Amino acid sequence: MDRDPTTEAGRTLAELDRLRARTSRRAHGGVWLPAAGIAALLLASIALYREPFAQPASIEADHPFWAGLPDQQRNPVLSYVFWLAGFPLLFAGTALWYRWRAHRLGVRVAWPAFVAAGLGLLALLAVVAAVPTGPVPEGLAVARNPYWAGLLTPLLPLTASVVVLGWAERSRGLVAAGAWMAVLAGWLCTTYPLGSVPGWAVGGDSLGGQLSLRPGHYLVLMALPILAVATVRLASTRRGPGA
């Protein structure tokens, strides 16, 4: 019985698509670990704030915001050391993970770009801002007139790392998570006090307002999309090569 060439071609294409999907899942299935590491670093930074979840009677924040967000930190030097040690540890662990995967599975991704983006921006931030801190710039206290010096925060190098990792791993979810982090960090670090909402965003002739969320809440909101991506990728990897 003669085989239908069209049917055979369709089966071949379907098999190629299946193999291509399996190869892609195998190549990019390891992103869950660095993504989880980034989320863990974000969540660990909650401990840098004096009152990460409680509402304080008053806030005295030092600039630059070495803890990450414009709020009262336990100790500026502790915050500085946390990020300058945390970033290299995260990237060292990532490098070992991807080298192990390359040796075991024979797959490679452009992870050095992820490391270069994070460390490069962190080094630039450290040089520009240095350790000394001072009062919050006056313009930063007005939500309608943001002071761009507020962008001297370690959250932005981490944001760039998330976006570059998403690009290297072909993960739209991580790119979206990085964009979400950028929006939150850009808003929170260019207005003071934390969570100030400009009048134009409220509408009408309003002078604006302020959300009652604290640094811990915002950091959890930043970390959740990254954790979601890590969980989905880990579950996809554990389905096995035949999935």
Side-chain angles (χ1 to χ4, degrees):
M1 183 176 181
D2 294 335
R3 294 182 178 180
D4 185 352
T6 304
T7 303
E8 287 297 315
R11 289 176 179 173
T12 301
L13 289 175
E15 180 65 16
L16 287 174
D17 288 341
R18 189 182 69 83
L19 290 174
R20 193 177 294 114
R22 186 174 66 179
T23 301
S24 177
R25 185 165 59 246
R26 186 180 185 186
H28 300 292
V31 70
W32 68 268
L33 187 63
I38 292 171
L41 190 63
L42 266 176
L43 295 176
S45 72
I46 293 175
L48 300 175
Y49 301 89
R50 288 196 177 180
E51 296 178 275
F53 294 103
Q55 289 291 344
S58 62
I59 298 176
E60 295 181 6
D62 293 318
H63 181 268
F65 307 128
W66 282 119
L69 295 175
D71 205 84
Q72 193 162 6
Q73 50 194 331
R74 296 181 185 277
N75 186 294
V77 176
L78 175 64
S79 301
Y80 186 83
V81 171
F82 172 86
W83 290 108
L84 261 68
F87 269 88
L89 287 174
L90 170 66
F91 294 139
T94 297
L96 290 174
W97 170 248
Y98 279 120
R99 287 179 183 274
W100 176 81
R101 279 179 55 82
H103 177 73
R104 182 173 179 268
L105 303 176
V107 294
R108 297 179 182 274
V109 294
W111 62 266
F114 159 67
V115 175
L119 286 184
L121 287 176
L122 183 68
L124 179 61
L125 174 66
V127 169
V128 172
V131 184
T133 60
V136 175
E138 184 178 350
L140 193 62
V142 183
R144 298 186 303 276
N145 183 27
Y147 193 91
W148 296 109
L151 295 178
L152 294 177
T153 167
L155 290 178
L156 291 189
L158 193 63
T159 296
S161 298
V162 174
V163 173
V164 174
L165 180 63
W167 165 80
E169 288 280 11
R170 299 178 184 177
S171 171
R172 295 179 181 178
L174 270 184
V175 173
W180 168 243
M181 278 185 64
V183 169
L184 278 181
W187 163 47
L188 295 170
C189 292
T190 54
T191 58
Y192 184 82
L194 185 71
S196 295
V197 180
W200 59 263
V202 178
D205 297 327
S206 173
L207 296 178
Q210 183 180 358
L211 299 183
S212 59
L213 298 180
R214 301 289 296 134
H217 300 119
Y218 288 115
L219 290 167
V220 169
L221 287 175
M222 291 182 187
L224 280 178
I226 304 173
L227 283 174
V229 172
T231 302
V232 170
R233 285 299 183 96
L234 178 59
S236 176
T237 301
R238 287 190 169 181
R239 285 205 301 263

Short mmCIF file of all heavy atoms in Angstrom, two decimals, residues 42-95:
data_model
loop_
_atom_site.label_atom_id
_atom_site.label_comp_id
_atom_site.label_asym_id
_atom_site.label_seq_id
_atom_site.Cartn_x
_atom_site.Cartn_y
_atom_site.Cartn_z
N LEU A 42 16.20 39.37 46.40
CA LEU A 42 15.22 40.44 46.62
C LEU A 42 14.54 40.28 47.97
O LEU A 42 14.42 41.25 48.75
CB LEU A 42 14.16 40.40 45.51
CG LEU A 42 14.35 41.28 44.29
CD1 LEU A 42 13.23 41.01 43.29
CD2 LEU A 42 14.37 42.75 44.67
N LEU A 43 14.08 39.08 48.27
CA LEU A 43 13.36 38.85 49.52
C LEU A 43 14.28 38.98 50.73
O LEU A 43 13.86 39.47 51.78
CB LEU A 43 12.71 37.47 49.49
CG LEU A 43 11.60 37.29 48.44
CD1 LEU A 43 11.10 35.86 48.43
CD2 LEU A 43 10.44 38.25 48.71
N ALA A 44 15.54 38.57 50.58
CA ALA A 44 16.49 38.70 51.69
C ALA A 44 16.77 40.17 52.01
O ALA A 44 17.04 40.52 53.17
CB ALA A 44 17.79 37.98 51.35
N SER A 45 16.67 41.04 51.00
CA SER A 45 16.94 42.47 51.23
C SER A 45 15.88 43.12 52.11
O SER A 45 16.08 44.23 52.59
CB SER A 45 17.05 43.21 49.90
OG SER A 45 15.79 43.35 49.27
N ILE A 46 14.76 42.44 52.34
CA ILE A 46 13.74 42.97 53.25
C ILE A 46 14.32 43.20 54.64
O ILE A 46 13.95 44.15 55.34
CB ILE A 46 12.53 42.00 53.32
CG1 ILE A 46 11.80 41.95 51.97
CG2 ILE A 46 11.56 42.40 54.42
CD1 ILE A 46 10.68 40.93 51.91
N ALA A 47 15.27 42.35 55.03
CA ALA A 47 15.88 42.46 56.36
C ALA A 47 16.73 43.73 56.53
O ALA A 47 17.12 44.06 57.65
CB ALA A 47 16.74 41.23 56.64
N LEU A 48 17.02 44.44 55.44
CA LEU A 48 17.84 45.64 55.52
C LEU A 48 17.07 46.84 56.08
O LEU A 48 17.69 47.84 56.46
CB LEU A 48 18.39 46.00 54.14
CG LEU A 48 19.28 44.94 53.47
CD1 LEU A 48 19.65 45.39 52.06
CD2 LEU A 48 20.54 44.69 54.29
N TYR A 49 15.74 46.75 56.12
CA TYR A 49 14.92 47.88 56.56
C TYR A 49 14.54 47.73 58.03
O TYR A 49 14.34 46.62 58.52
CB TYR A 49 13.65 47.97 55.71
CG TYR A 49 13.94 48.13 54.24
CD1 TYR A 49 14.08 47.02 53.42
CD2 TYR A 49 14.08 49.39 53.67
CE1 TYR A 49 14.37 47.15 52.07
CE2 TYR A 49 14.36 49.54 52.32
CZ TYR A 49 14.50 48.40 51.53
OH TYR A 49 14.79 48.54 50.19
N ARG A 50 14.45 48.86 58.72
CA ARG A 50 14.12 48.82 60.15
C ARG A 50 12.69 48.34 60.38
O ARG A 50 12.42 47.59 61.31
CB ARG A 50 14.32 50.21 60.77
CG ARG A 50 15.77 50.59 60.92
CD ARG A 50 15.94 51.75 61.86
NE ARG A 50 17.35 52.06 62.06
CZ ARG A 50 17.80 53.04 62.83
NH1 ARG A 50 16.93 53.81 63.47
NH2 ARG A 50 19.09 53.26 62.95
N GLU A 51 11.77 48.81 59.58
CA GLU A 51 10.37 48.40 59.71
C GLU A 51 9.83 48.07 58.33
O GLU A 51 9.14 48.86 57.71
CB GLU A 51 9.55 49.52 60.36
CG GLU A 51 9.98 49.82 61.79
CD GLU A 51 9.18 50.96 62.41
OE1 GLU A 51 9.55 52.12 62.20
OE2 GLU A 51 8.18 50.66 63.10
N PRO A 52 10.17 46.87 57.83
CA PRO A 52 9.82 46.52 56.44
C PRO A 52 8.32 46.36 56.20
O PRO A 52 7.87 46.55 55.07
CB PRO A 52 10.55 45.20 56.22
CG PRO A 52 10.75 44.63 57.58
CD PRO A 52 10.93 45.80 58.49
N PHE A 53 7.54 46.04 57.24
CA PHE A 53 6.11 45.82 57.05
C PHE A 53 5.23 46.73 57.94
O PHE A 53 4.11 47.03 57.57
CB PHE A 53 5.75 44.36 57.32
CG PHE A 53 6.35 43.40 56.33
CD1 PHE A 53 7.46 42.64 56.65
CD2 PHE A 53 5.81 43.27 55.06
CE1 PHE A 53 8.02 41.75 55.74
CE2 PHE A 53 6.36 42.39 54.12
CZ PHE A 53 7.47 41.64 54.47
N ALA A 54 5.77 47.15 59.05
CA ALA A 54 4.99 47.99 59.97
C ALA A 54 5.02 49.45 59.53
O ALA A 54 5.96 49.90 58.87
CB ALA A 54 5.54 47.86 61.38
N GLN A 55 3.97 50.19 59.92
CA GLN A 55 3.90 51.61 59.63
C GLN A 55 4.62 52.40 60.72
O GLN A 55 4.20 52.37 61.88
CB GLN A 55 2.43 52.06 59.53
CG GLN A 55 1.70 51.58 58.30
CD GLN A 55 2.21 52.23 57.03
OE1 GLN A 55 2.90 53.24 57.06
NE2 GLN A 55 1.87 51.64 55.89
N PRO A 56 5.71 53.11 60.40
CA PRO A 56 6.44 53.86 61.43
C PRO A 56 5.78 55.21 61.71
O PRO A 56 4.99 55.71 60.90
CB PRO A 56 7.82 54.06 60.78
CG PRO A 56 7.51 54.13 59.32
CD PRO A 56 6.34 53.20 59.08
N ALA A 57 6.12 55.78 62.83
CA ALA A 57 5.60 57.10 63.17
C ALA A 57 6.24 58.17 62.28
O ALA A 57 5.61 59.16 61.92
CB ALA A 57 5.87 57.40 64.64
N SER A 58 7.51 57.96 61.91
CA SER A 58 8.21 58.88 61.02
C SER A 58 9.27 58.10 60.27
O SER A 58 9.68 57.01 60.69
CB SER A 58 8.85 60.03 61.81
OG SER A 58 9.81 59.52 62.72
N ILE A 59 9.72 58.65 59.15
CA ILE A 59 10.71 57.98 58.32
C ILE A 59 11.90 58.91 58.09
O ILE A 59 11.72 60.08 57.74
CB ILE A 59 10.12 57.58 56.95
CG1 ILE A 59 8.97 56.59 57.14
CG2 ILE A 59 11.19 56.96 56.06
CD1 ILE A 59 8.28 56.24 55.84
N GLU A 60 13.10 58.39 58.32
CA GLU A 60 14.32 59.12 58.02
C GLU A 60 15.17 58.23 57.11
O GLU A 60 15.80 57.28 57.55
CB GLU A 60 15.08 59.46 59.29
CG GLU A 60 14.35 60.43 60.20
CD GLU A 60 15.15 60.75 61.45
OE1 GLU A 60 16.33 60.30 61.53
OE2 GLU A 60 14.62 61.42 62.34
N ALA A 61 15.15 58.53 55.83
CA ALA A 61 15.88 57.71 54.86
C ALA A 61 17.15 58.42 54.43
O ALA A 61 17.17 59.64 54.25
CB ALA A 61 15.00 57.43 53.65
N ASP A 62 18.22 57.65 54.30
CA ASP A 62 19.49 58.18 53.80
C ASP A 62 19.59 57.96 52.30
O ASP A 62 19.15 56.95 51.77
CB ASP A 62 20.68 57.49 54.49
CG ASP A 62 20.75 57.81 55.97
OD1 ASP A 62 20.54 58.98 56.32
OD2 ASP A 62 21.00 56.89 56.77
N HIS A 63 20.19 58.91 51.61
CA HIS A 63 20.40 58.82 50.16
C HIS A 63 21.89 58.72 49.89
O HIS A 63 22.68 59.43 50.52
CB HIS A 63 19.82 60.07 49.47
CG HIS A 63 19.95 60.04 47.98
ND1 HIS A 63 21.04 60.59 47.33
CD2 HIS A 63 19.15 59.51 47.03
CE1 HIS A 63 20.88 60.42 46.03
NE2 HIS A 63 19.76 59.76 45.83
N PRO A 64 22.36 57.85 48.99
CA PRO A 64 21.62 56.93 48.11
C PRO A 64 20.92 55.82 48.90
O PRO A 64 21.28 55.51 50.02
CB PRO A 64 22.70 56.35 47.19
CG PRO A 64 23.85 57.28 47.30
CD PRO A 64 23.79 57.82 48.70
N PHE A 65 19.93 55.21 48.24
CA PHE A 65 19.12 54.20 48.89
C PHE A 65 19.81 52.83 48.77
O PHE A 65 19.42 51.99 47.95
CB PHE A 65 17.72 54.16 48.27
CG PHE A 65 17.06 55.51 48.24
CD1 PHE A 65 16.54 56.00 47.06
CD2 PHE A 65 16.98 56.29 49.38
CE1 PHE A 65 15.93 57.23 47.02
CE2 PHE A 65 16.37 57.53 49.35
CZ PHE A 65 15.84 58.01 48.17
N TRP A 66 20.81 52.60 49.61
CA TRP A 66 21.59 51.38 49.47
C TRP A 66 20.80 50.13 49.82
O TRP A 66 21.12 49.04 49.37
CB TRP A 66 22.85 51.46 50.32
CG TRP A 66 23.91 52.29 49.68
CD1 TRP A 66 24.47 53.44 50.16
CD2 TRP A 66 24.52 52.08 48.41
NE1 TRP A 66 25.38 53.94 49.28
CE2 TRP A 66 25.43 53.13 48.19
CE3 TRP A 66 24.37 51.10 47.41
CZ2 TRP A 66 26.21 53.22 47.04
CZ3 TRP A 66 25.15 51.20 46.26
CH2 TRP A 66 26.05 52.24 46.09
N ALA A 67 19.76 50.27 50.62
CA ALA A 67 18.92 49.10 50.87
C ALA A 67 18.13 48.73 49.63
O ALA A 67 17.78 47.57 49.44
CB ALA A 67 17.98 49.37 52.04
N GLY A 68 17.85 49.72 48.80
CA GLY A 68 17.10 49.49 47.56
C GLY A 68 15.98 50.47 47.38
O GLY A 68 15.85 51.12 46.35
N LEU A 69 15.14 50.64 48.41
CA LEU A 69 13.99 51.53 48.35
C LEU A 69 14.18 52.69 49.33
O LEU A 69 14.89 52.55 50.34
CB LEU A 69 12.71 50.77 48.68
CG LEU A 69 12.31 49.69 47.68
CD1 LEU A 69 11.10 48.91 48.18
CD2 LEU A 69 12.03 50.28 46.31
N PRO A 70 13.55 53.84 49.06
CA PRO A 70 13.71 55.01 49.92
C PRO A 70 12.96 54.89 51.23
O PRO A 70 11.87 55.41 51.39
CB PRO A 70 13.15 56.16 49.05
CG PRO A 70 12.17 55.50 48.16
CD PRO A 70 12.73 54.14 47.87
N ASP A 71 13.58 54.19 52.17
CA ASP A 71 12.98 54.03 53.49
C ASP A 71 14.12 53.87 54.49
O ASP A 71 15.28 53.71 54.11
CB ASP A 71 12.05 52.81 53.52
CG ASP A 71 10.99 52.93 54.60
OD1 ASP A 71 9.95 53.57 54.33
OD2 ASP A 71 11.21 52.39 55.69
N GLN A 72 13.76 53.90 55.77
CA GLN A 72 14.79 53.85 56.81
C GLN A 72 15.43 52.47 56.85
O GLN A 72 14.76 51.46 57.06
CB GLN A 72 14.17 54.20 58.16
CG GLN A 72 15.21 54.49 59.23
CD GLN A 72 14.60 55.24 60.41
OE1 GLN A 72 13.40 55.43 60.47
NE2 GLN A 72 15.43 55.65 61.35
N GLN A 73 16.75 52.43 56.65
CA GLN A 73 17.47 51.17 56.67
C GLN A 73 18.17 50.98 58.01
O GLN A 73 18.40 51.94 58.75
CB GLN A 73 18.48 51.13 55.53
CG GLN A 73 19.38 52.34 55.43
CD GLN A 73 20.11 52.41 54.11
OE1 GLN A 73 20.41 51.40 53.50
NE2 GLN A 73 20.42 53.61 53.66
N ARG A 74 18.50 49.74 58.32
CA ARG A 74 19.15 49.46 59.59
C ARG A 74 20.53 50.10 59.65
O ARG A 74 20.90 50.71 60.66
CB ARG A 74 19.27 47.95 59.80
CG ARG A 74 17.92 47.24 59.92
CD ARG A 74 18.08 45.76 60.16
NE ARG A 74 16.81 45.07 60.15
CZ ARG A 74 15.99 44.99 61.19
NH1 ARG A 74 16.33 45.54 62.34
NH2 ARG A 74 14.84 44.35 61.09
N ASN A 75 21.27 49.94 58.58
CA ASN A 75 22.62 50.51 58.54
C ASN A 75 23.04 50.65 57.07
O ASN A 75 23.04 49.65 56.35
CB ASN A 75 23.59 49.58 59.28
CG ASN A 75 24.98 50.18 59.39
OD1 ASN A 75 25.67 50.36 58.39
ND2 ASN A 75 25.40 50.47 60.62
N PRO A 76 23.39 51.86 56.60
CA PRO A 76 23.76 52.05 55.19
C PRO A 76 24.94 51.18 54.76
O PRO A 76 24.94 50.66 53.64
CB PRO A 76 24.10 53.54 55.11
CG PRO A 76 23.37 54.16 56.25
CD PRO A 76 23.37 53.13 57.34
N VAL A 77 25.92 51.03 55.64
CA VAL A 77 27.10 50.22 55.28
C VAL A 77 26.70 48.75 55.14
O VAL A 77 27.16 48.05 54.23
CB VAL A 77 28.22 50.39 56.32
CG1 VAL A 77 29.38 49.46 56.01
CG2 VAL A 77 28.69 51.84 56.37
N LEU A 78 25.83 48.28 56.03
CA LEU A 78 25.33 46.90 55.94
C LEU A 78 24.61 46.69 54.61
O LEU A 78 24.79 45.66 53.94
CB LEU A 78 24.39 46.61 57.11
CG LEU A 78 23.69 45.25 57.08
CD1 LEU A 78 24.70 44.12 57.17
CD2 LEU A 78 22.67 45.15 58.22
N SER A 79 23.78 47.66 54.21
CA SER A 79 23.07 47.56 52.93
C SER A 79 24.05 47.53 51.77
O SER A 79 23.90 46.75 50.83
CB SER A 79 22.11 48.74 52.77
OG SER A 79 21.17 48.79 53.82
N TYR A 80 25.07 48.38 51.84
CA TYR A 80 26.09 48.46 50.79
C TYR A 80 26.81 47.12 50.64
O TYR A 80 26.97 46.60 49.54
CB TYR A 80 27.07 49.58 51.16
CG TYR A 80 28.11 49.91 50.12
CD1 TYR A 80 27.81 50.76 49.07
CD2 TYR A 80 29.41 49.41 50.22
CE1 TYR A 80 28.77 51.10 48.13
CE2 TYR A 80 30.36 49.74 49.29
CZ TYR A 80 30.04 50.59 48.25
OH TYR A 80 31.00 50.91 47.32
N VAL A 81 27.22 46.55 51.78
CA VAL A 81 27.94 45.27 51.76
C VAL A 81 27.02 44.15 51.28
O VAL A 81 27.46 43.25 50.55
CB VAL A 81 28.51 44.97 53.16
CG1 VAL A 81 29.07 43.55 53.22
CG2 VAL A 81 29.59 45.98 53.53
N PHE A 82 25.76 44.19 51.69
CA PHE A 82 24.81 43.15 51.29
C PHE A 82 24.75 43.02 49.77
O PHE A 82 24.86 41.91 49.22
CB PHE A 82 23.41 43.48 51.84
CG PHE A 82 22.33 42.57 51.32
CD1 PHE A 82 22.06 41.36 51.95
CD2 PHE A 82 21.57 42.91 50.21
CE1 PHE A 82 21.06 40.51 51.47
CE2 PHE A 82 20.57 42.07 49.72
CZ PHE A 82 20.32 40.88 50.35
N TRP A 83 24.57 44.13 49.07
CA TRP A 83 24.44 44.08 47.62
C TRP A 83 25.78 43.80 46.94
O TRP A 83 25.83 43.04 45.96
CB TRP A 83 23.84 45.37 47.10
CG TRP A 83 22.39 45.53 47.46
CD1 TRP A 83 21.85 46.39 48.36
CD2 TRP A 83 21.29 44.77 46.94
NE1 TRP A 83 20.49 46.22 48.44
CE2 TRP A 83 20.11 45.24 47.58
CE3 TRP A 83 21.17 43.75 46.00
CZ2 TRP A 83 18.85 44.73 47.29
CZ3 TRP A 83 19.91 43.24 45.72
CH2 TRP A 83 18.78 43.73 46.36
N LEU A 84 26.87 44.40 47.45
CA LEU A 84 28.16 44.17 46.83
C LEU A 84 28.67 42.75 47.04
O LEU A 84 29.52 42.28 46.28
CB LEU A 84 29.20 45.18 47.33
CG LEU A 84 29.42 46.36 46.37
CD1 LEU A 84 28.18 47.25 46.32
CD2 LEU A 84 30.63 47.19 46.78
N ALA A 85 28.17 42.08 48.06
CA ALA A 85 28.50 40.66 48.26
C ALA A 85 27.44 39.77 47.61
O ALA A 85 27.76 38.73 47.04
CB ALA A 85 28.61 40.34 49.75
N GLY A 86 26.18 40.19 47.67
CA GLY A 86 25.10 39.37 47.16
C GLY A 86 25.14 39.19 45.65
O GLY A 86 24.91 38.08 45.14
N PHE A 87 25.43 40.26 44.93
CA PHE A 87 25.52 40.15 43.48
C PHE A 87 26.58 39.15 43.03
O PHE A 87 26.28 38.24 42.24
CB PHE A 87 25.80 41.53 42.87
CG PHE A 87 24.57 42.31 42.50
CD1 PHE A 87 23.95 43.12 43.42
CD2 PHE A 87 24.03 42.22 41.22
CE1 PHE A 87 22.81 43.84 43.09
CE2 PHE A 87 22.90 42.94 40.87
CZ PHE A 87 22.28 43.75 41.81
N PRO A 88 27.84 39.29 43.50
CA PRO A 88 28.86 38.31 43.07
C PRO A 88 28.52 36.88 43.45
O PRO A 88 28.79 35.95 42.68
CB PRO A 88 30.13 38.78 43.79
CG PRO A 88 29.91 40.25 44.01
CD PRO A 88 28.44 40.38 44.29
N LEU A 89 27.93 36.68 44.63
CA LEU A 89 27.55 35.32 45.03
C LEU A 89 26.48 34.76 44.10
O LEU A 89 26.54 33.59 43.69
CB LEU A 89 27.05 35.31 46.47
CG LEU A 89 28.11 35.49 47.56
CD1 LEU A 89 27.46 35.61 48.93
CD2 LEU A 89 29.10 34.32 47.55
N LEU A 90 25.50 35.59 43.75
CA LEU A 90 24.45 35.17 42.83
C LEU A 90 25.04 34.79 41.47
O LEU A 90 24.71 33.74 40.90
CB LEU A 90 23.44 36.30 42.66
CG LEU A 90 22.39 36.11 41.55
CD1 LEU A 90 21.47 34.93 41.87
CD2 LEU A 90 21.59 37.39 41.35
N PHE A 91 25.94 35.63 40.97
CA PHE A 91 26.51 35.38 39.65
C PHE A 91 27.49 34.22 39.66
O PHE A 91 27.59 33.48 38.68
CB PHE A 91 27.18 36.64 39.12
CG PHE A 91 26.21 37.77 38.86
CD1 PHE A 91 26.51 39.07 39.20
CD2 PHE A 91 24.98 37.51 38.28
CE1 PHE A 91 25.62 40.10 38.96
CE2 PHE A 91 24.07 38.52 38.04
CZ PHE A 91 24.39 39.83 38.38
N ALA A 92 28.22 34.05 40.75
CA ALA A 92 29.12 32.90 40.85
C ALA A 92 28.33 31.60 40.85
O ALA A 92 28.69 30.64 40.16
CB ALA A 92 29.98 33.02 42.11
N GLY A 93 27.24 31.57 41.62
CA GLY A 93 26.39 30.39 41.63
C GLY A 93 25.78 30.11 40.26
O GLY A 93 25.69 28.97 39.82
N THR A 94 25.38 31.20 39.57
CA THR A 94 24.81 31.05 38.22
C THR A 94 25.84 30.48 37.26
O THR A 94 25.53 29.60 36.45
CB THR A 94 24.32 32.42 37.72
OG1 THR A 94 23.27 32.88 38.58
CG2 THR A 94 23.79 32.31 36.30
N ALA A 95 27.07 31.00 37.32
CA ALA A 95 28.12 30.52 36.43
C ALA A 95 28.40 29.03 36.65
O ALA A 95 28.53 28.26 35.69
CB ALA A 95 29.39 31.33 36.64
#
